[in-house]
Amino acid sequence: MASAWIICTCLYVLIIVQAVKLFMDLASIDSQELGIRFDIFLTTESLIMQAALFGLFFGTLFFFINIFFDRSIINKQAFGRILLIKSLLYFVALVLVTLFVSTLMKSVGYYPQYITLVASTESLLQYFFLGVAPFFTILILLMNLLMLVTRKFGIGLLLSLFTGKYHQPISEERIFMFIDLRSSTTYAEQLGHIRYSKLIQDCFFVLNEIVDKYHGTIYQYVGDEAVVTWPVKHGLRKARCLEMFFAYVNKIKSRSPKYLDRFGLVPEFKAGAHIGTVTAAEVGDIKREIAYHGDTLNTAARVQSLCNSYQSELLVTKDLLERIVLPKELKARPMGKTELKGKLNMVEIYALYQSDKPGQIIEQSQPKIYRPDEV
């Protein structure tokens, strides 16, 4: 982060000096008559040092401000309010770093060696930083807006829309997981619509944090259900697509006192996951998004609907499980084959659960086979 701001600051110096030089050329102003040598001015060690120090210190503060927001309750505020607060903090950081670097440069006596543009080294320093402030204020606003939009919609979606990757439908292999709130109807009756919606908001806010850590993407929210997806490469590595769910469940459990105090209950979730080929296409005009179509999504949704029948938190298909190396803390129990609505062939299902004892898969003696009308 600091290196990026050092580069931005040095580029700023280059752009400003070249812009002034171009203006003087167009206005037919002779720099020699004014005693200005732009080649020396541009390569002045003090000027480059100021730019590097500014980029280093401001980039560091920029990084820590973002870390603070990511872990702060402020991040739950409205989009516009977050943009305003972060921009104000960035501006304060800009002023503090400007004053600090200015004081530091003056204290060590490291002034420009060639000064004829303005009357004194101090005024040159002031003009330099006054010129930086407007430029970086605009840059901060643009970067802040871009970061918030990227966080809201996902970097993958933005890049795909910009590059037109899915302008024409294409096929790709992906992992999908449907995560649903257990006993949602009962919760809604107990809490009422407003408090129930606040519960869902809080749970999905936590889910977003966990999904990001495990390189997943929230594809859709449907009521009290969320659909998470991974490219095969990212989802299979280190069993992220499975670890993510249990990390989420454990996070919710760690917040039990807060949920009990605020809602009088601790939410529980169930999930179903499957891997397969889907068709991805850019849809819509006013509100564009990437839509996925195919049997893979239907299968994942049907598998999730079996969680109550199998009394399991997480069910996955054999197709997915066969391609994952399970971490030692996870075990898989075969639940047999079942017929899913809309599918001709039976699907073999496994229940995933956490265990302190790393070991083999536990066989079920007589797996039950569910028919379509029972699902």
Side-chain angles (χ1 to χ4, degrees), residues 300-339:
R302 299 298 184 191
V303 169
Q304 183 268 121
S305 69
L306 292 172
C307 287
N308 288 340
S309 300
Y310 285 121
Q311 298 181 351
S312 176
E313 284 184 315
L314 175 61
L315 293 176
V316 302
T317 60
K318 182 180 179 181
D319 292 340
L320 176 57
L321 189 63
E322 284 182 335
R323 298 178 62 175
I324 288 183
V325 178
L326 285 180
K328 63 181 182 180
E329 69 272 12
L330 295 184
K331 282 188 177 182
R333 178 187 296 116
M335 308 305 288
K337 295 183 178 181
T338 184
E339 294 182 9

Side-chain angles (χ1 to χ4, degrees), residues 36-54:
I36 299 173
R37 287 282 306 282
F38 282 98
D39 55 339
I40 299 178
F41 180 70
L42 180 60
T43 56
T44 298
E45 292 181 0
S46 63
L47 195 64
I48 301 301
M49 179 64 72
Q50 291 173 46
L53 288 175
F54 181 88

Side-chain angles (χ1 to χ4, degrees), residues 177 214 235-250 312-316 320-321 324-333 350-362:
M177 176 179 289
Y214 288 86
L236 294 181
R237 186 179 181 185
K238 298 181 180 179
R240 286 172 179 157
C241 61
L242 304 181
E243 291 275 26
M244 186 281 298
F245 176 74
F246 290 108
Y248 177 54
V249 169
N250 292 335
S312 176
E313 284 184 315
L314 175 61
L315 293 176
V316 302
L320 176 57
L321 189 63
I324 288 183
V325 178
L326 285 180
K328 63 181 182 180
E329 69 272 12
L330 295 184
K331 282 188 177 182
R333 178 187 296 116
Y350 286 78
L352 270 293
Y353 62 97
Q354 293 175 301
S355 175
D356 295 332
K357 299 179 181 180
Q360 71 271 359
I361 294 174
I362 300 176

Side-chain angles (χ1 to χ4, degrees), residues 131-148:
V132 167
F135 171 80
F136 276 92
T137 299
I138 296 174
L139 185 61
I140 287 168
L141 288 172
L142 292 176
M143 290 187 66
N144 195 14
L145 180 61
L146 179 61
M147 290 173 64
L148 288 173

Side-chain angles (χ1 to χ4, degrees), residues 17-40:
V17 171
Q18 293 300 325
V20 173
K21 183 179 180 181
L22 177 62
F23 171 78
M24 296 184 68
D25 289 341
L26 293 175
S28 300
I29 299 175
D30 188 358
S31 62
Q32 296 294 334
E33 294 179 1
L34 297 177
I36 299 173
R37 287 282 306 282
F38 282 98
D39 55 339
I40 299 178

